[in-house]
Amino acid sequence: MLKIREGRLSREVRESLASYQADVDGQSTYAARVDRAKQQFSRRNRLDNPVFVAVKSKLARMCNGSRRCMYCEDSVADEVEHFHPKDLYPEFVFVWRNYLYACGPCNGPKNNQFGVVGPTADEIVVVTRQRNSPVVPPIAGSTALINPLRENPLDFFMLDIRNTFEFTPISESGTIDRLRADYTLKVLRLNERDYLIDARRNAYSGFLARLEQYVQHLRNGASPRKLALLRSGIQRSPHPTVWEEMKRQHLYHSTLSDLFAQAPETLEF
């Protein structure tokens, strides 16, 4: 999971989203706003609505890789995901900066799971509303889930590219950053799906082969056009987090260190 570069919507689309949001915000009670948010999002998020066609098109261009899920990077992103769930935060249901593009296997399990940093800043308080519970606002607090639109996930965990191909929290136990990293990995199940582990391992082999190919062509005097095509191949490959970790950790892996030393420009790819 990588930091996402936010795109900008046209003024017309922004104004339409704002009008949708105003309708939700205009309801007299929190429970009414929650109900209206769910109703209106279902009504507006349709293929025949040019506003959400534009939203999805912009989100697709923001994805890392070729329209890969912003969480797992493995599957095609095809669902508008509310970082702050609309069942809990109706005030964000039509807010552009609350949208991510996700795949079903990520968006489904994440669903309305959400936590905030507790008032003592040493615990995560889960605010997910249980079935048949009163529809009341969640307690206030900063988000526990790492938001790739506003934060760099790799500041919180690293990917083991030598053995397990699992994410490991960076911060020490007991710190709020460690709690947030653990919570994010649990909610998104980034280490619990075997196919994701296999895909990252395969991606590593693919990136390594592409890097070796680039170095070989560079050594043989390939044209700038050919090198640009090879660069594009690396940049458009799936699981770009693997590539970012290869760059970040290359000094600790002799093979990677040697390859990047021969083509230092690839550290900027």
Side-chain angles (χ1 to χ4, degrees), residues 5 54 65 71 119 135 155-156 202 205 213 217 225 261:
R5 293 183 180 179
Y71 288 137
V135 181
D155 289 340
F156 294 87
N202 291 335
S205 297
Q213 184 182 31
H217 278 76
R225 181 176 180 277

Side-chain angles (χ1 to χ4, degrees), residues 131-182:
R131 184 182 296 274
N132 298 324
S133 295
V135 181
V136 296
I139 67 168
S142 58
T143 61
L145 195 69
I146 296 166
N147 186 346
L149 265 178
R150 303 189 182 189
E151 304 169 284
N152 183 358
L154 296 188
D155 289 340
F156 294 87
F157 38 68
M158 65 183 297
L159 181 66
D160 177 4
I161 59 172
R162 189 184 295 275
N163 296 306
T164 67
F165 285 88
E166 294 181 357
F167 287 102
T168 303
I170 293 173
S171 299
E172 296 180 2
S173 264
T175 63
I176 194 61
D177 282 354
R178 174 62 177 270
L179 290 173
R180 294 187 66 206
D182 287 337

